[in-house]
Coordinates of all heavy atoms in Angstrom, one line a residue:
Q1460 N 43.8 -36.6 8.2 CA 42.5 -37.3 8.6 C 41.3 -36.4 8.3 O 41.4 -35.2 8.3 CB 42.6 -37.5 10.1 CG 43.7 -38.4 10.7 CD 43.4 -39.8 10.2 OE1 42.3 -40.3 10.0 NE2 44.4 -40.6 10.0
P1461 N 40.2 -37.0 7.9 CA 39.0 -36.2 7.6 C 38.6 -35.3 8.8 O 38.7 -35.7 10.0 CB 38.0 -37.3 7.4 CG 38.7 -38.5 7.0 CD 40.0 -38.4 7.7
G1462 N 38.3 -34.1 8.5 CA 37.9 -33.1 9.5 C 39.0 -32.4 10.2 O 38.7 -31.4 10.9
E1463 N 40.2 -32.7 10.0 CA 41.3 -32.0 10.6 C 41.7 -30.8 9.8 O 41.4 -30.7 8.6 CB 42.6 -32.9 10.6 CG 42.5 -34.0 11.6 CD 43.9 -34.7 11.8 OE1 45.0 -34.2 11.4 OE2 43.8 -35.9 12.2
L1464 N 42.2 -29.8 10.5 CA 42.6 -28.5 9.8 C 44.0 -28.6 9.3 O 44.9 -29.1 10.0 CB 42.5 -27.4 10.7 CG 41.0 -27.0 11.3 CD1 41.1 -25.9 12.3 CD2 40.1 -26.7 10.2
F1465 N 44.2 -28.1 8.1 CA 45.6 -28.0 7.6 C 46.2 -26.8 8.2 O 45.6 -25.8 8.5 CB 45.6 -27.9 6.0 CG 45.2 -29.1 5.3 CD1 43.9 -29.4 5.0 CD2 46.2 -30.1 5.1 CE1 43.5 -30.5 4.3 CE2 45.8 -31.3 4.4 CZ 44.5 -31.5 4.0
P1466 N 47.6 -26.8 8.4 CA 48.3 -25.6 9.0 C 48.0 -24.3 8.3 O 47.9 -23.3 8.9 CB 49.7 -26.0 9.0 CG 49.7 -27.5 9.0 CD 48.5 -27.9 8.2
V1467 N 47.8 -24.3 7.0 CA 47.6 -23.1 6.2 C 46.2 -22.5 6.7 O 46.1 -21.3 6.5 CB 47.6 -23.4 4.7 CG1 46.4 -24.1 4.2 CG2 47.8 -22.0 3.9
Y1468 N 45.3 -23.2 7.2 CA 44.0 -22.6 7.7 C 44.3 -21.5 8.7 O 43.7 -20.4 8.6 CB 43.2 -23.7 8.4 CG 42.1 -23.1 9.2 CD1 40.9 -22.8 8.5 CD2 42.2 -22.9 10.6 CE1 39.8 -22.2 9.3 CE2 41.1 -22.3 11.2 CZ 40.0 -22.0 10.6 OH 39.0 -21.4 11.3
H1469 N 45.2 -21.7 9.6 CA 45.5 -20.7 10.6 C 46.1 -19.5 10.1 O 45.8 -18.4 10.5 CB 46.4 -21.3 11.7 CG 45.8 -22.5 12.4 ND1 44.8 -22.4 13.2 CD2 46.1 -23.8 12.3 CE1 44.4 -23.6 13.7 NE2 45.2 -24.5 13.1
L1470 N 47.0 -19.6 9.0 CA 47.5 -18.5 8.3 C 46.5 -17.7 7.6 O 46.4 -16.5 7.7 CB 48.7 -19.0 7.4 CG 49.3 -17.8 6.6 CD1 50.0 -16.9 7.4 CD2 50.3 -18.4 5.5
L1471 N 45.6 -18.4 6.9 CA 44.5 -17.7 6.2 C 43.6 -17.0 7.1 O 43.1 -15.9 6.8 CB 43.8 -18.7 5.2 CG 44.7 -19.2 4.1 CD1 43.9 -20.3 3.4 CD2 45.1 -18.2 3.2
K1472 N 43.3 -17.6 8.2 CA 42.4 -17.0 9.3 C 43.1 -15.7 9.8 O 42.4 -14.7 9.9 CB 42.2 -17.9 10.4 CG 41.2 -17.4 11.5 CD 40.9 -18.4 12.5 CE 39.9 -17.9 13.5 NZ 40.5 -17.3 14.6
T1473 N 44.4 -15.8 10.1 CA 45.1 -14.6 10.5 C 45.1 -13.5 9.6 O 44.9 -12.3 9.9 CB 46.6 -15.0 10.9 OG1 46.5 -15.9 12.0 CG2 47.4 -13.8 11.2
I1474 N 45.3 -13.8 8.3 CA 45.2 -12.8 7.2 C 43.8 -12.3 7.0 O 43.5 -11.1 6.9 CB 45.8 -13.3 5.9 CG1 47.3 -13.5 6.1 CG2 45.5 -12.4 4.8 CD1 47.9 -14.3 4.9
G1475 N 42.8 -13.2 7.0 CA 41.4 -12.8 6.8 C 40.9 -11.8 7.8 O 39.9 -11.1 7.5
E1476 N 41.4 -11.8 9.0 CA 40.9 -10.8 10.0 C 41.2 -9.4 9.6 O 40.6 -8.5 10.1 CB 41.6 -11.1 11.4 CG 41.2 -12.4 12.0 CD 42.0 -12.8 13.2 OE1 42.8 -12.0 13.7 OE2 41.8 -13.9 13.7
F1477 N 42.1 -9.2 8.6 CA 42.4 -7.9 8.1 C 41.8 -7.6 6.7 O 42.3 -6.7 6.0 CB 43.9 -7.7 8.1 CG 44.4 -7.4 9.5 CD1 44.6 -8.4 10.4 CD2 44.7 -6.1 9.9 CE1 45.1 -8.2 11.7 CE2 45.2 -5.8 11.2 CZ 45.3 -6.9 12.1
A1478 N 40.8 -8.4 6.3 CA 40.1 -8.2 5.0 C 39.6 -6.8 4.9 O 39.1 -6.2 5.9 CB 39.0 -9.2 4.9
G1479 N 39.9 -6.1 3.7 CA 39.4 -4.8 3.5 C 40.5 -3.8 4.0 O 40.3 -2.6 3.8
G1480 N 41.6 -4.2 4.6 CA 42.6 -3.3 5.1 C 43.7 -3.2 4.0 O 43.5 -3.4 2.8
T1481 N 44.9 -2.8 4.4 CA 46.0 -2.7 3.5 C 47.1 -3.7 3.8 O 47.2 -4.1 4.9 CB 46.6 -1.2 3.6 OG1 47.1 -1.0 4.9 CG2 45.6 -0.2 3.2
V1482 N 47.9 -4.0 2.8 CA 49.0 -4.9 2.9 C 50.2 -4.2 2.4 O 50.2 -3.5 1.3 CB 48.7 -6.2 2.0 CG1 49.9 -7.1 2.2 CG2 47.4 -6.8 2.4
R1483 N 51.3 -4.4 3.1 CA 52.6 -3.8 2.7 C 53.7 -4.8 2.9 O 53.8 -5.4 4.0 CB 52.9 -2.5 3.5 CG 54.0 -1.7 3.0 CD 54.2 -0.4 3.7 NE 54.9 -0.7 4.9 CZ 55.0 0.2 5.9 NH1 54.4 1.3 5.9 NH2 55.8 -0.1 6.9
R1484 N 54.6 -5.0 1.9 CA 55.7 -5.8 2.1 C 56.8 -5.1 2.9 O 56.9 -3.9 2.8 CB 56.3 -6.2 0.7 CG 57.4 -7.2 0.8 CD 57.9 -7.6 -0.7 NE 59.0 -8.5 -0.6 CZ 60.2 -8.1 -0.5 NH1 60.6 -6.8 -0.6 NH2 61.2 -9.0 -0.5
I1485 N 57.4 -5.8 3.8 CA 58.4 -5.3 4.7 C 59.8 -5.8 4.3 O 59.9 -7.0 4.0 CB 58.1 -5.7 6.2 CG1 56.8 -5.2 6.6 CG2 59.2 -5.2 7.1 CD1 56.5 -3.8 6.5
D1486 N 60.8 -5.0 4.3 CA 62.2 -5.4 4.0 C 62.8 -6.1 5.2 O 62.6 -5.7 6.3 CB 63.0 -4.2 3.6 CG 62.6 -3.5 2.3 OD1 62.2 -4.2 1.5 OD2 62.8 -2.3 2.2
S1487 N 63.5 -7.2 4.9 CA 64.2 -7.9 5.9 C 65.7 -8.0 5.6 O 66.1 -7.9 4.5 CB 63.6 -9.4 6.1 OG 64.1 -10.2 5.1
S1488 N 66.5 -8.3 6.6 CA 67.9 -8.5 6.5 C 68.3 -9.9 5.9 O 69.4 -10.1 5.5 CB 68.6 -8.3 7.8 OG 68.1 -9.3 8.7
Q1489 N 67.3 -10.8 5.7 CA 67.6 -12.1 5.1 C 66.5 -12.3 4.0 O 65.7 -13.2 4.1 CB 67.4 -13.1 6.2 CG 68.3 -13.0 7.4 CD 69.7 -13.3 7.1 OE1 70.0 -14.0 6.1 NE2 70.7 -12.8 7.8
P1490 N 66.6 -11.5 2.9 CA 65.6 -11.6 1.9 C 65.4 -12.9 1.2 O 64.4 -13.2 0.6 CB 66.0 -10.5 0.9 CG 67.4 -10.3 1.2 CD 67.7 -10.6 2.6
L1491 N 66.5 -13.8 1.1 CA 66.4 -15.1 0.5 C 65.8 -16.1 1.4 O 65.4 -17.2 0.9 CB 67.7 -15.5 -0.1 CG 68.3 -14.6 -1.2 CD1 69.7 -15.1 -1.6 CD2 67.4 -14.5 -2.3
A1492 N 65.9 -15.9 2.7 CA 65.4 -16.9 3.7 C 64.1 -16.5 4.4 O 63.5 -17.4 4.9 CB 66.5 -17.1 4.7
T1493 N 63.7 -15.3 4.3 CA 62.5 -14.9 5.0 C 61.7 -13.9 4.2 O 62.2 -13.2 3.3 CB 62.9 -14.1 6.4 OG1 63.6 -13.0 6.1 CG2 63.7 -15.0 7.3
E1494 N 60.4 -13.8 4.5 CA 59.5 -12.8 3.9 C 58.7 -12.3 5.0 O 58.3 -12.9 6.0 CB 58.6 -13.5 2.9 CG 59.2 -13.9 1.6 CD 59.6 -12.6 0.8 OE1 59.0 -11.6 1.0 OE2 60.4 -12.8 -0.1
A1495 N 58.3 -11.0 4.8 CA 57.5 -10.3 5.8 C 56.5 -9.4 5.2 O 56.7 -8.8 4.2 CB 58.3 -9.6 6.8
I1496 N 55.2 -9.3 5.8 CA 54.2 -8.4 5.3 C 53.6 -7.7 6.5 O 53.6 -8.3 7.7 CB 53.1 -9.1 4.5 CG1 52.4 -10.1 5.2 CG2 53.7 -9.6 3.2 CD1 51.1 -10.6 4.5
A1497 N 53.1 -6.5 6.3 CA 52.4 -5.8 7.4 C 50.9 -5.6 6.9 O 50.7 -5.1 5.8 CB 53.0 -4.5 7.7
L1498 N 50.0 -6.0 7.7 CA 48.5 -5.8 7.4 C 48.1 -4.7 8.4 O 48.4 -4.7 9.5 CB 47.8 -7.2 7.7 CG 48.4 -8.4 7.1 CD1 47.7 -9.7 7.7 CD2 48.2 -8.4 5.6
R1499 N 47.2 -3.8 7.8 CA 46.8 -2.7 8.7 C 45.3 -2.5 8.4 O 44.8 -2.5 7.2 CB 47.5 -1.5 8.3 CG 47.2 -0.3 9.2 CD 48.0 0.9 8.9 NE 49.4 0.7 9.3 CZ 50.2 1.6 9.7 NH1 49.9 2.9 9.5 NH2 51.4 1.4 10.0
K1500 N 44.6 -2.3 9.5 CA 43.1 -2.1 9.4 C 42.6 -1.5 10.8 O 42.9 -2.1 11.8 CB 42.3 -3.3 9.1 CG 40.8 -3.1 8.9 CD 40.2 -4.4 8.5 CE 38.7 -4.2 8.4 NZ 38.0 -5.5 8.1
D1501 N 41.8 -0.5 10.7 CA 41.1 0.1 11.9 C 42.1 0.3 13.1 O 41.8 0.0 14.2 CB 40.0 -0.9 12.3 CG 39.0 -1.0 11.3 OD1 38.8 -0.1 10.5 OD2 38.3 -2.1 11.3
G1502 N 43.2 0.9 12.8 CA 44.2 1.3 13.9 C 45.0 0.1 14.4 O 45.7 0.2 15.4
K1503 N 44.9 -1.1 13.7 CA 45.7 -2.2 14.2 C 46.6 -2.6 13.1 O 46.3 -2.5 11.9 CB 44.7 -3.4 14.5 CG 43.8 -3.1 15.7 CD 42.9 -4.3 15.9 CE 41.9 -4.0 16.9 NZ 40.9 -5.0 17.1
Q1504 N 47.7 -3.2 13.5 CA 48.7 -3.7 12.5 C 49.2 -5.0 12.9 O 49.4 -5.3 14.1 CB 49.9 -2.8 12.4 CG 50.9 -3.2 11.3 CD 52.1 -2.3 11.3 OE1 52.8 -2.1 12.3 NE2 52.3 -1.6 10.2
R1505 N 49.2 -5.9 12.0 CA 49.8 -7.3 12.2 C 50.9 -7.5 11.2 O 50.7 -7.4 10.0 CB 48.7 -8.3 12.1 CG 49.2 -9.7 12.2 CD 48.0 -10.8 12.3 NE 47.3 -10.5 13.6 CZ 46.1 -10.8 13.8 NH1 45.4 -11.4 12.8 NH2 45.4 -10.6 14.9
V1506 N 52.0 -7.9 11.8 CA 53.2 -8.2 11.0 C 53.4 -9.7 11.0 O 53.4 -10.3 12.0 CB 54.5 -7.5 11.5 CG1 55.7 -7.8 10.6 CG2 54.2 -5.9 11.5
L1507 N 53.5 -10.3 9.8 CA 53.8 -11.7 9.6 C 55.1 -11.9 9.0 O 55.4 -11.3 8.0 CB 52.7 -12.3 8.8 CG 51.3 -12.3 9.3 CD1 50.3 -12.8 8.2 CD2 51.1 -13.0 10.5
V1508 N 55.9 -12.7 9.7 CA 57.3 -12.9 9.3 C 57.5 -14.5 9.1 O 57.2 -15.2 10.1 CB 58.4 -12.4 10.2 CG1 59.7 -12.5 9.7 CG2 58.0 -11.0 10.7
A1509 N 57.9 -14.9 7.9 CA 58.0 -16.3 7.6 C 59.4 -16.7 7.4 O 60.1 -16.0 6.6 CB 57.1 -16.7 6.5
N1510 N 59.9 -17.8 8.0 CA 61.2 -18.4 7.7 C 61.0 -19.4 6.7 O 60.3 -20.4 6.9 CB 61.8 -19.0 9.0 CG 63.2 -19.6 8.7 OD1 63.6 -19.6 7.6 ND2 63.8 -20.1 9.8
L1511 N 61.5 -19.2 5.5 CA 61.3 -20.1 4.4 C 62.4 -21.2 4.3 O 62.4 -22.0 3.4 CB 61.4 -19.3 3.0 CG 60.4 -18.1 3.0 CD1 60.6 -17.3 1.7 CD2 59.0 -18.6 3.2
S1512 N 63.3 -21.2 5.3 CA 64.4 -22.1 5.2 C 64.3 -23.2 6.3 O 63.4 -23.1 7.2 CB 65.7 -21.4 5.4 OG 65.9 -21.0 6.8
D1513 N 65.1 -24.2 6.2 CA 65.2 -25.3 7.2 C 66.2 -25.0 8.3 O 66.5 -25.9 9.0 CB 65.5 -26.6 6.5 CG 66.8 -26.6 5.8 OD1 67.5 -25.6 5.7 OD2 67.2 -27.7 5.3
K1514 N 66.6 -23.8 8.5 CA 67.6 -23.4 9.5 C 67.0 -22.2 10.3 O 66.2 -21.4 9.8 CB 68.9 -22.9 8.9 CG 69.6 -24.0 8.1 CD 70.9 -23.4 7.5 CE 71.7 -24.5 6.9 NZ 71.1 -25.2 5.8
P1515 N 67.3 -22.1 11.6 CA 66.9 -21.0 12.4 C 67.4 -19.7 11.8 O 68.5 -19.7 11.2 CB 67.5 -21.2 13.8 CG 67.8 -22.7 13.8 CD 68.1 -23.1 12.4
Q1516 N 66.6 -18.6 11.8 CA 67.0 -17.4 11.3 C 66.7 -16.2 12.3 O 65.8 -16.3 13.0 CB 66.1 -17.0 10.0 CG 66.3 -17.9 8.9 CD 67.6 -17.9 8.2 OE1 68.2 -16.8 8.2 NE2 68.1 -19.0 7.7
T1517 N 67.7 -15.3 12.3 CA 67.4 -14.1 13.1 C 67.4 -13.0 12.0 O 68.3 -12.8 11.2 CB 68.6 -13.8 14.1 OG1 68.6 -14.9 15.0 CG2 68.4 -12.5 14.8
V1518 N 66.3 -12.3 12.0 CA 66.1 -11.3 10.9 C 65.8 -9.9 11.5 O 65.1 -9.8 12.5 CB 64.9 -11.8 10.0 CG1 63.6 -11.9 10.7 CG2 64.7 -10.9 8.8
T1519 N 66.2 -8.9 10.8 CA 65.9 -7.5 11.2 C 64.9 -7.0 10.2 O 65.2 -7.0 9.0 CB 67.2 -6.6 11.2 OG1 68.1 -7.2 12.1 CG2 66.8 -5.2 11.6
L1520 N 63.8 -6.5 10.7 CA 62.7 -5.9 9.8 C 62.9 -4.4 9.8 O 63.0 -3.8 10.8 CB 61.4 -6.3 10.4 CG 61.0 -7.8 10.5 CD1 59.7 -7.9 11.0 CD2 61.2 -8.5 9.1
R1521 N 62.8 -3.8 8.6 CA 62.9 -2.4 8.4 C 61.7 -1.9 7.6 O 61.2 -2.6 6.9 CB 64.2 -2.1 7.6 CG 65.5 -2.4 8.3 CD 66.7 -2.0 7.5 NE 67.0 -2.9 6.4 CZ 67.6 -4.1 6.5 NH1 68.0 -4.5 7.6 NH2 67.8 -4.8 5.4
G1522 N 61.3 -0.6 7.9 CA 60.2 -0.1 7.2 C 58.9 0.0 7.9 O 57.9 0.5 7.4
L1523 N 58.8 -0.5 9.2 CA 57.6 -0.4 9.9 C 57.4 1.0 10.5 O 56.3 1.5 10.5 CB 57.6 -1.4 11.1 CG 57.5 -2.9 10.6 CD1 57.7 -3.8 11.7 CD2 56.1 -3.1 10.0
D1524 N 58.5 1.5 11.1 CA 58.5 2.9 11.6 C 59.6 3.7 10.9 O 60.6 3.0 10.4 CB 58.7 2.9 13.1 CG 57.5 2.2 13.8 OD1 56.3 2.4 13.4 OD2 57.7 1.5 14.8
A1525 N 59.6 5.0 11.1 CA 60.6 5.8 10.4 C 62.1 5.4 10.7 O 62.8 5.2 9.9 CB 60.4 7.3 10.8
N1526 N 62.4 5.3 12.0 CA 63.8 5.0 12.3 C 63.9 3.8 13.3 O 64.9 3.7 14.1 CB 64.4 6.2 13.1 CG 64.5 7.4 12.1 OD1 64.9 7.2 11.0 ND2 64.1 8.5 12.5
R1527 N 63.0 2.9 13.2 CA 63.0 1.7 14.1 C 63.1 0.4 13.4 O 62.5 0.2 12.3 CB 61.7 1.7 14.9 CG 61.6 0.7 16.0 CD 60.4 0.8 16.9 NE 60.4 -0.3 17.8 CZ 59.3 -0.9 18.1 NH1 58.2 -0.5 17.6 NH2 59.3 -1.9 19.0
E1528 N 63.9 -0.5 13.9 CA 64.1 -1.8 13.3 C 63.5 -2.8 14.4 O 63.7 -2.5 15.6 CB 65.5 -2.1 13.0 CG 66.0 -1.2 11.9 CD 67.5 -1.5 11.6 OE1 68.1 -2.2 12.4 OE2 67.9 -1.1 10.5
I1529 N 63.0 -3.9 13.9 CA 62.6 -5.0 14.9 C 63.4 -6.3 14.5 O 63.5 -6.7 13.4 CB 61.0 -5.3 14.6 CG1 60.3 -4.0 15.0 CG2 60.6 -6.5 15.4 CD1 58.8 -4.2 14.8
L1530 N 63.9 -6.9 15.6 CA 64.7 -8.1 15.5 C 63.7 -9.3 15.8 O 63.1 -9.3 16.9 CB 65.8 -8.1 16.5 CG 66.8 -9.2 16.4 CD1 67.6 -9.1 15.1 CD2 67.8 -9.2 17.5
V1531 N 63.7 -10.3 15.0 CA 62.8 -11.4 15.2 C 63.7 -12.7 15.0 O 64.4 -12.8 14.0 CB 61.7 -11.4 14.1 CG1 60.8 -12.6 14.3 CG2 60.9 -10.1 14.2
K1532 N 63.5 -13.6 15.9 CA 64.2 -14.9 15.8 C 63.1 -16.0 15.4 O 62.1 -16.1 16.1 CB 64.9 -15.3 17.1 CG 66.0 -14.3 17.5 CD 66.7 -14.7 18.8 CE 67.8 -13.8 19.0 NZ 68.5 -14.2 20.3
L1533 N 63.5 -16.8 14.4 CA 62.5 -17.7 13.9 C 63.1 -19.1 13.9 O 64.3 -19.3 13.4 CB 62.1 -17.4 12.5 CG 61.3 -16.1 12.3 CD1 61.3 -15.6 10.9 CD2 59.9 -16.3 12.8
Q1534 N 62.3 -20.1 14.2 CA 62.8 -21.5 14.1 C 62.6 -21.9 12.6 O 61.9 -21.2 11.8 CB 62.0 -22.4 15.0 CG 62.2 -22.2 16.5 CD 63.6 -22.5 16.8 OE1 64.3 -23.4 16.4 NE2 64.2 -21.5 17.6
P1535 N 63.1 -23.0 12.2 CA 63.0 -23.4 10.7 C 61.5 -23.5 10.3 O 60.7 -24.0 11.1 CB 63.6 -24.8 10.7 CG 64.6 -24.8 11.8 CD 64.0 -24.0 12.9
H1536 N 61.2 -22.9 9.2 CA 59.8 -23.0 8.6 C 58.8 -22.3 9.6 O 57.6 -22.6 9.4 CB 59.4 -24.3 8.3 CG 60.3 -25.0 7.3 ND1 60.5 -24.6 6.0 CD2 61.3 -26.0 7.5 CE1 61.5 -25.3 5.4 NE2 61.9 -26.1 6.3
A1537 N 59.2 -21.5 10.5 CA 58.2 -20.9 11.4 C 57.6 -19.6 10.9 O 58.2 -18.9 10.0 CB 58.9 -20.6 12.7
I1538 N 56.5 -19.2 11.4 CA 55.8 -17.9 11.1 C 55.6 -17.2 12.4 O 55.0 -17.7 13.4 CB 54.5 -18.1 10.4 CG1 54.7 -18.8 9.1 CG2 53.8 -16.8 10.2 CD1 53.4 -19.1 8.3
A1539 N 56.1 -15.9 12.5 CA 55.9 -15.1 13.7 C 54.8 -14.1 13.4 O 54.7 -13.6 12.3 CB 57.2 -14.4 14.1
R1540 N 54.1 -13.8 14.4 CA 53.0 -12.8 14.3 C 53.2 -11.7 15.3 O 53.3 -12.0 16.5 CB 51.6 -13.5 14.5 CG 50.4 -12.6 14.4 CD 49.2 -13.4 14.4 NE 48.6 -13.4 15.7 CZ 47.4 -13.9 15.9 NH1 46.7 -14.5 15.0 NH2 46.9 -13.9 17.2
I1541 N 53.2 -10.5 14.9 CA 53.4 -9.3 15.8 C 52.3 -8.4 15.6 O 52.0 -7.9 14.5 CB 54.8 -8.6 15.4 CG1 56.0 -9.5 15.5 CG2 55.0 -7.4 16.4 CD1 57.2 -9.0 14.8
N1542 N 51.5 -8.2 16.7 CA 50.4 -7.3 16.7 C 50.7 -6.0 17.3 O 51.4 -6.0 18.4 CB 49.2 -7.9 17.5 CG 48.6 -9.2 16.8 OD1 48.5 -9.2 15.6 ND2 48.4 -10.2 17.6
R1543 N 50.3 -4.9 16.7 CA 50.6 -3.6 17.2 C 49.4 -2.7 17.0 O 48.6 -2.9 16.1 CB 51.8 -2.9 16.4 CG 53.0 -3.8 16.5 CD 54.1 -3.4 15.5 NE 54.1 -1.9 15.3 CZ 55.0 -1.2 14.9 NH1 56.2 -1.7 14.6 NH2 54.9 0.1 14.7
T1544 N 49.3 -1.6 17.8 CA 48.4 -0.5 17.6 C 49.1 0.6 16.9 O 50.2 0.9 17.2 CB 47.8 -0.1 19.0 OG1 47.2 -1.2 19.6 CG2 46.7 1.0 18.8
V1545 N 48.4 1.1 15.8 CA 49.0 2.2 15.0 C 48.1 3.4 14.9 O 46.8 3.2 15.2 CB 49.4 1.7 13.6 CG1 50.5 0.7 13.7 CG2 48.2 1.2 12.9
D1546 N 48.6 4.5 14.6 CA 47.8 5.8 14.4 C 47.1 5.7 13.1 O 47.4 5.2 12.1 CB 48.7 7.0 14.4 CG 49.3 7.2 15.8 OD1 48.7 6.7 16.8 OD2 50.4 7.7 15.9

């Protein structure tokens, strides 16, 4: 409908809040079904994890911290957003 926002608007807004920061790809335990990136700026980090499949996925993210993994459960075609404070 005219004037309605497309879902990608919210994704671009989320990424745009970190304009001028850094972007890093994150390794996942389901590389063919999911993708993840970490955005960092001004002591804040936002991790975005996307399920690219039509099935629920449970994914382990590696590479955010030296010895820490994060487990994320995603519904089909979902995007999770994890906000953190970093040094």
Side-chain angles (χ1 to χ4, degrees):
Q1460 295 293 332
E1463 286 187 26
L1464 298 176
F1465 289 93
V1467 73
Y1468 166 84
H1469 301 288
L1470 178 62
L1471 294 174
K1472 182 176 184 267
T1473 294
I1474 293 170
E1476 292 171 8
F1477 284 78
T1481 61
V1482 179
R1483 190 173 84 192
R1484 186 172 177 275
I1485 303 298
D1486 293 328
S1487 82
S1488 60
Q1489 302 289 337
L1491 297 178
T1493 62
E1494 284 292 336
I1496 61 171
L1498 309 169
R1499 188 178 285 206
K1500 182 179 178 183
D1501 299 333
K1503 297 177 185 174
Q1504 183 181 59
R1505 178 168 293 157
V1506 179
L1507 299 173
V1508 188
N1510 180 355
L1511 306 176
S1512 77
D1513 60 355
K1514 296 179 175 60
Q1516 298 289 331
T1517 299
V1518 60
T1519 302
L1520 302 179
R1521 295 182 285 279
L1523 290 171
D1524 295 320
N1526 296 315
R1527 185 172 175 220
E1528 296 179 346
I1529 296 177
L1530 186 70
V1531 180
K1532 294 182 180 184
L1533 296 162
Q1534 293 300 315
H1536 304 290
I1538 297 174
R1540 181 171 98 171
I1541 303 164
N1542 292 319
R1543 302 170 31 160
T1544 302
V1545 293
D1546 295 330

